[in-house]
Amino acid sequence: MFDLNRQKSIKDIVKKNVNSLLGLAHQKQVKLQTTLPTNVAVRGDRHMLGQVFGNLIGNSLKFTPAAHNHIELIEEKSDRWVIGVRDTGIGIPEGDVHKLFKIEEKYTRKGLQGEKGTGLGLPVVQEIISKHNGTIEVKSHSGSGTLFLITLPKSRLKTNENVLVVDDEHGMRMLHTRYIKRVLPDANVLHASDGAGALQLAREFNPKVIISDNDMPDINGEELVRNLKSDPTTANIPIISSQDRIQMQIAKRLSSTVQLRY
């Protein structure tokens, strides 16, 4: 049973697929890279969307010699995202491009190392994208690589429930996140490992609360607070120091600034 109404982060879905293919990419000496922003979200089924990106990335590995594959945001329109899956591989002959999404064609080629395909992958990808009210197109020529363009309707991550956790230690960020999720299950928890990253995320997402470590290498907690309070766009965001009695402070501040759901 597929659920097309849940909000999903495309970055998370792509990252999971990239991680699952890193071993194969390493063997082929292909660099997998994604630069999708955190806020690229759609309403759709995680499994189906994962199948889309898994197929496109997997195909690109078959036809890309030692080089790179890049998943990126090509364009942000008023109501849609345009996402690109680009490779520097051998490309697709111009006369074959129109066959890619036609199930009756069963278009298939052997990969650079003799990998076989069924010819059904891209028609299924197109069907999934269509179910998500999106489109897919391809730009390619022999010898010049391939770019798949996926257009999907926007579903922005809710900014009224963002909570920003700032700590240079990964373990502490995870600890705070676990507690926040207990208090506020629907919160979108943003992570920053330093003060500069925290400032950027605070300006972009305007979180309801910032939970910050005080002892950080570049901009410490006090400097971060001064920077936030001097900027009109972030001056009113409540800030909790993680040197305080953290669980008591988080619970008290979240309950007073964010509407809890039960």
Side-chain angles (χ1 to χ4, degrees), residues 41-98:
V42 301
R43 291 200 176 277
D45 184 88
R46 177 181 293 274
H47 174 76
M48 294 174 75
L49 291 170
Q51 189 175 346
V52 166
F53 288 99
N55 183 285
L56 295 178
I57 298 169
N59 275 348
S60 72
L61 289 176
K62 290 181 185 179
F63 301 104
T64 303
H68 74 272
N69 174 287
H70 190 194
I71 303 95
E72 60 190 318
L73 179 65
I74 299 292
E75 184 180 0
E76 178 180 357
K77 298 185 178 181
S78 60
D79 61 343
R80 292 182 173 261
W81 305 109
V82 182
I83 301 157
V85 179
R86 186 193 306 271
D87 67 54
T88 55
I90 62 174
I92 302 167
E94 192 170 355
D96 291 344
V97 169
H98 73 281

Side-chain angles (χ1 to χ4, degrees), residues 16 18 20 34 39 41 49 70-71 73-74 76 106 109 127 142 156 178 183 189 196 201 218 226 229 240:
K16 183 177 180 180
V18 166
S20 70
T34 176
N39 65 325
L49 291 170
H70 190 194
I71 303 95
L73 179 65
I74 299 292
E76 178 180 357
K106 290 190 177 180
R109 294 185 299 164
E127 183 179 355
S142 291
R156 288 188 175 276
R178 190 177 304 125
V183 177
V189 183
L201 287 173
D218 60 342
R226 282 197 294 270
K229 295 303 179 185
I240 302 171

Side-chain angles (χ1 to χ4, degrees), residues 8 32 67 155 164 177 198 255 257 259 262:
K8 301 298 179 189
L32 287 180
S155 176
L164 174 58
T177 299
S255 64
T257 59
Q259 182 180 359
Y262 297 94

Side-chain angles (χ1 to χ4, degrees), residues 139-168:
K139 296 183 178 182
S140 184
H141 299 282
S142 291
S144 63
T146 301
L147 170 64
F148 283 95
L149 291 169
I150 302 165
T151 303
L152 291 166
K154 277 185 176 181
S155 176
R156 288 188 175 276
L157 294 172
K158 296 178 181 178
T159 57
N160 64 330
E161 292 184 349
N162 288 335
V163 178
L164 174 58
V165 174
V166 190
D167 201 299
D168 57 337

Side-chain angles (χ1 to χ4, degrees), residues 22-237:
L22 282 177
L24 179 61
H26 181 72
Q27 291 176 19
K28 293 175 172 285
Q29 297 182 304
V30 175
K31 181 180 179 181
L32 287 180
Q33 182 183 15
T34 176
T35 54
L36 287 171
T38 305
N39 65 325
V40 179
V42 301
R43 291 200 176 277
D45 184 88
R46 177 181 293 274
H47 174 76
M48 294 174 75
L49 291 170
Q51 189 175 346
V52 166
F53 288 99
N55 183 285
L56 295 178
I57 298 169
N59 275 348
S60 72
L61 289 176
K62 290 181 185 179
F63 301 104
T64 303
H68 74 272
N69 174 287
H70 190 194
I71 303 95
E72 60 190 318
L73 179 65
I74 299 292
E75 184 180 0
E76 178 180 357
K77 298 185 178 181
S78 60
D79 61 343
R80 292 182 173 261
W81 305 109
V82 182
I83 301 157
V85 179
R86 186 193 306 271
D87 67 54
T88 55
I90 62 174
I92 302 167
E94 192 170 355
D96 291 344
V97 169
H98 73 281
K99 302 177 184 178
L100 296 179
F101 302 113
K102 295 181 178 180
I103 194 166
E104 66 274 13
E105 294 281 355
K106 290 190 177 180
Y107 178 77
T108 183
R109 294 185 299 164
K110 287 186 178 181
L112 296 181
Q113 297 182 4
E115 304 97 327
K116 295 181 179 179
T118 63
L120 299 175
L122 288 175
V124 171
V125 163
Q126 185 183 48
E127 183 179 355
I128 292 172
I129 294 296
S130 179
K131 286 182 181 294
H132 287 78
N133 298 312
T135 61
I136 181 169
E137 61 178 300
V138 60
K139 296 183 178 182
S140 184
H141 299 282
S142 291
S144 63
T146 301
L147 170 64
F148 283 95
L149 291 169
I150 302 165
T151 303
L152 291 166
K154 277 185 176 181
S155 176
R156 288 188 175 276
L157 294 172
K158 296 178 181 178
T159 57
N160 64 330
E161 292 184 349
N162 288 335
V163 178
L164 174 58
V165 174
V166 190
D167 201 299
D168 57 337
E169 294 186 19
H170 175 77
M172 291 304 298
R173 295 197 300 272
M174 294 301 101
L175 180 65
H176 297 332
T177 299
R178 190 177 304 125
Y179 185 75
I180 291 165
K181 285 292 190 180
R182 283 171 51 195
V183 177
L184 191 67
D186 292 333
N188 176 39
V189 183
L190 307 170
H191 291 164
S193 59
D194 55 37
L199 288 170
Q200 181 178 348
L201 287 173
R203 289 164 181 153
E204 182 176 356
F205 292 99
N206 191 30
K208 279 292 183 181
V209 181
I210 297 174
I211 299 159
S212 175
D213 183 24
N214 193 46
D215 186 17
M216 293 183 291
D218 60 342
I219 300 175
N220 64 32
E222 292 181 3
E223 292 175 295
L224 176 60
V225 170
R226 282 197 294 270
N227 278 287
L228 289 167
K229 295 303 179 185
S230 65
D231 186 336
T233 63
T234 58
N236 295 324
I237 301 174

